[in-house]
Amino acid sequence: MMRFLAGVAACAMAALPLRAEEQVTDFRLENGMQVVVIEDHRAPVVMHMVWYRAGAADETPGVSGVAHFLEHLLFKGTETLEPGEFSATVAANGGRDNAFTSYDYTAYFQRIAADRLELMMKMESDRMVNLQLDEEDILTEREVIIEERNQRVENSPAALMREQLDAAQYLNHRYGVPIIGWRHEMETLSLEDALAYYEKFYAPNNAILVVAGDVDPDEVHALAKTYYGVLPPNPDLGERVRPLEPPQTAARRMVFEDPRVAQDYVRRSYLAPERDPGAQETAAALTILAEILGGGTTSFFAEKLQFDEQLAVYTGAWYGGTSLDDTTFDLIVVPKDGIGLDEAEEAMDRTLRDFMETGVDPEQLDRIKMQLRASQIYARDDVESIANRYGRALTSGLTIADVKAWPEILEAVTEEDILQAAEMVFALDNSVTGWLRAPQAAMEVNQ
């Protein structure tokens, strides 16, 4: 009976439309600011987001972490708002706000009742150009971000290892520098560093306004012109250019030891292409490949290494294609007690070879496509998810047409596409392999 119901559910899901029925309107203000409106009138709620085409990878060498630092500083005062008043006003109006920094963007958002949209635009446009900072702000907030690094990175051997893996993967590109920053550079971030980044990148011609929810495009257009359209653009912004990564010509390896490690594991990253505007097919194949290899207990790695051979307690694969420049495809194998990291790495390589020889299970491919289709449909019920999807894509060089086309491109992926993508990416010369383990001397003493 359960199998019958599951089959009915699968058929019903397969019959649902591939493309999200999103009503998207976009326009550009005279000062260069792009505005994207996604209508969803099912609830009187709006998601108001400002995305800057600037993140950690756009920093000047020597001031790593300044993009994230400035994100914190933007919650200080302006000429019309006291420090903390922005968030307090949002909360007093029944909403919530926050911000986040990535390599390719910095975003600020408020989720609030639709009739409070004008207030959000008034405040957000104010801090785009009128931020007021002093040395005390720098000293106090610098301590905050250093403590954040302590909690998220210094206290986590896995996070420390990931930093080293990224630095080994990207020798020249800024993706090799942690978003939060190297600690020794964070400790010297100054008022001048923050203002230099702010004055260059925080301008309407470097920003995208995304408004999703119970709104009318014409009304959003009028409000955007009133509050954002009067802001001056930065005529010296220039092209968005990053240092190019030299061709990787040899496999790279590292061993990261930390006495706090409770579970050893092997992790490997491969350089991989990102989603490109008008050419997302390879990224779609890699997205599905990650699900096939490591997307849960029914994945290829899990069945082979966790259940058949019983060598691992966890396996995984993931790929994040929404980035401006080349990204990575990652694999992890966490071995069972008594299985060494050399054996775990050998099993990883053997399983990859087996996959390339075996090919893609058609039933698994259909199931993954159905799951991806379902997640896209469910995401339409959340204005926050919708706004984030468009903001991440647009700040990473994609277009609205690319976002809309993505579900059908995923659906069209074939076994041949997946194997070709795997053949291209799984070259050891493009890889970094890391072992995370407790120090060997300490392990021998404990034994």
Side-chain angles (χ1 to χ4, degrees):
M1 181 64 175
M2 291 301 296
R3 287 186 179 181
F4 172 75
L5 292 175
V8 171
C11 291
M13 188 63 69
L16 289 171
L18 299 179
R19 180 173 296 181
E21 298 297 328
E22 294 157 355
Q23 298 179 10
V24 182
T25 304
D26 75 299
F27 48 87
R28 196 172 294 272
L29 303 179
E30 290 185 5
N31 58 12
M33 186 174 190
Q34 183 178 4
V35 182
V36 178
V37 183
I38 306 118
E39 295 180 67
D40 184 343
H41 301 288
R42 289 175 291 179
V45 176
V46 66
M47 188 74 174
H48 173 264
M49 306 191 77
V50 170
W51 297 73
Y52 292 96
R53 296 183 184 90
D58 300 290
E59 297 167 341
T60 301
V63 292
S64 64
V66 72
H68 174 250
F69 186 34
L70 182 60
E71 176 214 308
H72 279 242
L73 292 170
L74 231 70
F75 290 87
K76 301 297 183 180
T78 69
E79 294 177 358
T80 60
L81 293 171
E82 294 295 321
E85 186 178 352
F86 189 109
S87 294
T89 302
V90 175
N93 281 272
R96 63 179 181 85
D97 73 318
N98 213 327
F100 46 89
T101 305
S102 182
Y103 281 114
D104 298 316
Y105 52 75
T106 310
Y108 300 83
F109 72 86
Q110 303 87 42
R111 182 177 180 134
I112 200 161
D115 62 0
R116 304 295 196 275
L117 177 60
E118 181 173 5
L119 176 60
M120 299 303 104
M121 286 199 187
K122 180 180 179 180
M123 294 195 300
E124 193 68 78
S125 61
D126 178 39
R127 67 175 174 178
M128 183 182 286
V129 294
N130 293 321
L131 184 64
Q132 300 292 300
L133 298 174
D134 57 29
E135 290 293 346
E136 184 177 351
D137 294 325
I138 297 301
L139 292 175
T140 56
E141 206 62 38
R142 194 167 61 196
E143 290 302 315
V144 171
I145 63 169
I146 290 173
E147 180 57 27
E148 184 178 342
R149 180 181 168 87
N150 288 339
Q151 293 178 1
R152 294 188 177 184
V153 182
E154 306 293 351
N155 288 337
S156 170
L160 289 168
M161 177 193 180
R162 181 67 224 184
E163 281 191 343
Q164 297 300 311
L165 279 172
D166 288 342
Q169 184 78 80
Y170 295 99
L171 300 183
N172 196 47
H173 195 284
R174 296 292 294 181
Y175 287 170
V177 178
I179 294 171
I180 200 168
W182 296 119
R183 186 187 182 98
H184 69 284
E185 293 183 347
M186 295 170 66
E187 291 172 343
T188 63
L189 289 174
S190 67
L191 176 61
E192 291 73 21
D193 296 329
L195 290 177
Y197 192 94
Y198 177 71
E199 290 168 0
K200 178 177 182 180
F201 294 116
Y202 281 53
N205 54 323
N206 197 44
I208 302 169
L209 171 63
V210 179
V211 180
D214 187 20
V215 291
D216 176 79
D218 291 336
E219 292 178 2
V220 174
H221 193 179
L223 290 173
K225 287 178 64 177
T226 298
Y227 292 102
Y228 292 105
V230 296
L231 304 181
N234 178 7
D236 301 320
L237 184 61
E239 294 290 327
R240 196 175 187 187
V241 179
R242 273 91 172 269
L244 295 177
E245 186 70 13
Q248 184 173 340
T249 56
R252 299 164 190 164
R253 302 186 58 83
M254 60 169 286
V255 177
F256 191 94
E257 296 185 338
D258 191 300
R260 298 170 295 178
V261 172
Q263 176 67 66
D264 299 355
Y265 63 76
V266 179
R267 179 165 177 163
R268 179 181 294 157
S269 63
Y270 296 87
L271 279 177
E274 76 283 6
R275 289 170 61 184
D276 287 323
Q280 302 182 89
E281 287 76 13
T282 298
L286 292 173
T287 299
I288 293 180
L289 174 63
E291 292 296 319
I292 291 173
L293 292 180
T297 56
T298 60
S299 67
F300 193 85
F301 264 54
E303 289 189 351
K304 292 288 186 181
L305 298 182
Q306 294 176 234
F307 302 117
D308 293 349
E309 300 181 25
Q310 297 187 7
L311 295 176
V313 295
Y314 174 77
T315 58
W318 57 96
Y319 164 77
T322 308
S323 67
L324 190 63
D325 301 312
D326 279 352
T327 183
T328 60
F329 191 107
D330 294 75
L331 302 170
I332 188 171
V333 174
V334 182
K336 293 177 62 175
D337 288 342
I339 304 297
L341 292 179
D342 52 348
E343 188 175 351
E345 183 179 344
E346 181 183 345
M348 173 192 289
D349 290 330
R350 181 178 65 251
T351 305
L352 279 180
R353 290 193 300 268
D354 289 347
F355 170 74
M356 296 303 294
E357 293 174 1
T358 303
V360 179
D361 178 357
E363 291 186 3
Q364 185 186 22
L365 178 57
D366 289 342
R367 183 172 64 251
I368 288 171
K369 286 183 178 181
M370 183 186 70
Q371 291 168 346
L372 291 172
R373 189 184 310 134
S375 67
Q376 292 157 3
I377 292 169
Y378 296 147
R380 290 162 51 192
D381 292 331
D382 183 0
V383 293
E384 186 169 342
S385 175
I386 294 171
N388 272 281
R389 176 155 43 87
Y390 279 90
R392 285 195 306 269
L394 296 174
T395 49
S396 300
L398 297 171
T399 67
I400 291 174
D402 293 321
V403 177
K404 290 184 174 182
W406 181 243
E408 290 185 353
I409 293 174
L410 284 172
E411 186 67 24
V413 169
T414 65
E415 177 185 21
E416 182 181 2
D417 297 332
I418 294 168
L419 294 177
Q420 285 180 351
E423 186 73 30
M424 175 187 64
V425 168
F426 294 145
L428 281 177
D429 284 351
N430 284 332
S431 73
V432 179
T433 304
W435 289 8
L436 178 68
R437 67 187 185 189
Q440 294 298 285
M443 291 175 63
E444 292 169 1
V445 170
N446 292 334
Q447 290 174 354

